[in-house]
Amino acid sequence: MPLWPANAPRPDGLANPEPLRAAFRAATNGHVWLRWYDRMLCGARVSDEEEMLYAHEDLLPLWKKEDGYLEVSAWMAEKLEELDARENSASLEALETEKITLELGTGASVVVVEGQAQLVPVADATDAAIADEPLARQLHAQVLEALQDFVDQARRTSNKEGWKGFDKAAIDYEQLIKSGLVEISQNVVRLWTLTVKLGSYINQDDELRAGNGSFAEPLDSDTRRTLLDVLMPAAPLVRRFPTGNMLDEENLRFNMPQDKVQVAITLIQSAQQSEVLAGPSADLLVDAHETGAKPGPQGAKSRNWARRMTISFVFALGIGIGAAAKGFVGGAAQKAGERFADKSIAVGRFVDFLLKEEAKIIELTDGLPPDIKAKIVEMLRRIREEQLPAK
């Protein structure tokens, strides 16, 4: 497939990519060539079916015509739209059953209520079964007993430099544990994030005891002991739940650099200010990203989860825009997206937010699998270049 069709008009300065891109964008159906080029540049794998379209035998006689590239571009645009509809249908039917969010290792889905995105825990039947398991009940009882001493110690530590929020993490965890195993089984992602957050304080204390980090003092021996007494049964408890075990395994992969944490926090705060992400969900993500700024494996897990949940949120906004735009997605994809696009004003906010924060979003995809990054890049390109209406 030629990067530039031989009988298509060439812009001046072809070696410069910007005139080339501008010419593609201005040409009728020129996006079909930019699509291939951009995917190659970002290292994404193009499906065999899509590659074969560019070399299809039906195109050979069209290329021989004087203005054949126009017919070729129109043919390609039609076939690529059909291909996208099939691929979107499969992936978005999976989204209806939360499969996409589980594959991303987030343990939560994104829905829109009254024009704002919210993060909702994925309730899994296999998690519910653990609530009646004798071992889970035993571990739960051990955590409850250990919390009695720990929460008191955490309250006394919160006013020390470097330990802000330590008491709140303890209290939030205690409230969840006291709600009972049935309630916990419906919100395993919350159990996991709070357990990881408590574990990150041990990693932080280890760094301080080794003489690394800030001027903060290490935990006193009693507070550290009571925290470890909680974590000893808490860690196996969260891994008893299939979702908790999946979160632990998945979020050790595709490590997000610590220097991206502030980028992510700024993005989430912008989403809240733009009224595209509900306050409690924004607080949850900011808290997870802040935990991700801590050293050690627990900080890394929180950082990875928060980044991937943020990407899921961005992808959900794109689905909503597509469903409202008509033709951006179609068929089952449009049906799945309709629950995200319940208000036109909200869709306008989605468009404005994604275009305003495009650079930060792309930066957060660094290190993710190429196919996920390519989906985000392609989604943003289509929103930008098709000039979908903003508010």
Side-chain angles (χ1 to χ4, degrees):
M1 192 277 293
L3 179 58
W4 187 263
N7 54 356
R10 295 171 178 250
D12 294 334
L14 185 58
N16 185 338
E18 287 312 311
L20 176 64
R21 288 180 180 278
F24 274 132
R25 285 192 288 265
T28 303
N29 294 316
H31 67 276
V32 302
W33 310 109
L34 272 178
R35 169 185 173 131
W36 182 89
Y37 185 53
D38 285 340
R39 290 187 177 187
M40 292 299 101
L41 284 180
C42 73
R45 180 187 178 276
V46 178
S47 69
D48 292 341
E49 186 175 2
E50 182 169 338
E51 283 280 15
M52 291 305 296
L53 285 177
Y54 285 94
H56 199 281
E57 60 182 11
D58 289 353
L59 299 179
L60 295 178
L62 299 180
W63 281 122
K64 296 178 181 179
K65 298 182 179 180
E66 183 177 353
D67 292 329
Y69 71 93
L70 293 174
E71 293 186 47
V72 170
S73 297
W75 187 93
M76 288 294 306
E78 179 183 353
K79 297 301 181 182
L80 287 172
E81 185 175 353
E82 293 174 0
L83 176 62
D84 286 344
R86 290 196 300 273
E87 291 181 348
N88 285 339
S89 174
S91 63
L92 291 167
E93 283 175 352
L95 181 62
E96 283 285 84
T97 59
E98 275 71 49
K99 288 182 180 178
I100 283 184
T101 51
L102 286 175
E103 288 172 3
L104 287 173
T106 61
S109 59
V110 183
V111 297
V112 166
V113 179
E114 297 183 355
Q116 279 193 325
Q118 295 185 11
L119 311 186
V120 179
V122 174
D124 191 282
T126 57
D127 290 330
I130 301 299
D132 294 325
E133 187 185 74
L135 180 55
R137 291 200 299 269
Q138 179 183 346
L139 291 168
H140 180 254
Q142 291 174 4
V143 173
L144 273 173
E145 182 178 0
L147 277 170
Q148 297 177 26
D149 292 333
F150 169 61
V151 173
D152 289 339
Q153 292 288 341
R155 285 195 175 102
R156 289 194 287 268
T157 305
S158 62
N159 60 350
K160 294 183 178 180
E161 184 179 355
W163 297 98
K164 180 181 178 182
F166 186 47
D167 59 336
K168 186 178 185 303
I171 293 169
D172 289 346
Y173 184 75
E174 181 185 42
Q175 289 176 344
L176 180 62
I177 292 297
K178 284 185 174 180
S179 69
L181 280 174
V182 173
E183 182 70 22
I184 290 170
S185 70
Q186 301 300 309
N187 199 354
V188 175
V189 67
R190 180 66 171 157
L191 176 69
W192 182 82
T193 55
L194 286 173
T195 305
V196 166
K197 185 172 184 177
L198 291 178
S200 74
Y201 285 113
I202 289 292
N203 294 156
Q204 177 178 314
D205 190 51
D206 289 340
E207 289 290 308
L208 293 173
R209 288 171 182 267
N212 302 325
S214 66
F215 294 103
E217 294 182 2
L219 293 172
D220 62 70
S221 58
D222 286 340
T223 303
R224 181 182 173 92
R225 174 183 55 78
T226 58
L227 174 54
L228 286 172
D229 286 345
V230 170
L231 290 173
M232 287 293 286
L237 173 62
V238 73
R239 290 183 70 94
R240 291 303 303 167
F241 294 96
T243 296
N245 190 62
M246 177 273 296
L247 286 166
D248 236 29
E249 295 293 333
E250 288 296 316
N251 288 293
L252 286 173
R253 303 165 57 203
F254 312 123
N255 190 30
M256 173 185 171
Q258 280 184 291
D259 62 4
K260 295 292 191 293
V261 167
Q262 192 54 49
V263 174
I265 290 174
T266 303
L267 178 67
I268 295 301
Q269 291 172 337
S270 174
Q272 186 175 5
Q273 292 167 2
S274 302
E275 299 182 355
V276 299
L277 182 62
S281 296
D283 293 342
L284 174 64
L285 285 178
V286 168
D287 187 55
H289 280 298
E290 288 177 343
T291 299
K294 291 183 169 65
Q298 302 308 314
K301 286 192 288 188
S302 183
R303 189 163 64 247
N304 291 339
W305 176 82
R307 190 262 294 266
R308 296 164 83 185
M309 193 68 245
T310 301
I311 293 298
S312 296
F313 153 68
V314 167
F315 187 57
L317 296 189
I319 294 171
I321 294 168
K326 307 297 184 186
F328 183 65
V329 293
Q334 182 172 315
K335 179 182 177 182
E338 283 169 357
R339 63 188 175 122
F340 296 99
D342 53 352
K343 294 187 177 181
S344 59
I345 294 176
V347 171
R349 290 201 302 266
F350 295 173
V351 171
D352 289 345
F353 167 74
L354 292 178
L355 294 182
K356 180 179 71 173
E357 302 295 355
E358 181 176 2
K360 292 188 184 73
I361 293 167
I362 296 299
E363 188 173 354
L364 285 182
T365 64
D366 290 346
L368 286 176
D371 59 330
I372 295 177
K373 179 171 183 175
K375 287 179 185 293
I376 296 293
V377 170
E378 176 70 5
M379 179 191 77
L380 293 171
R381 181 197 66 78
R382 294 182 72 178
I383 293 171
R384 181 180 65 254
E385 295 185 0
E386 294 183 19
Q387 298 181 341
L388 299 178
K391 66 177 180 180

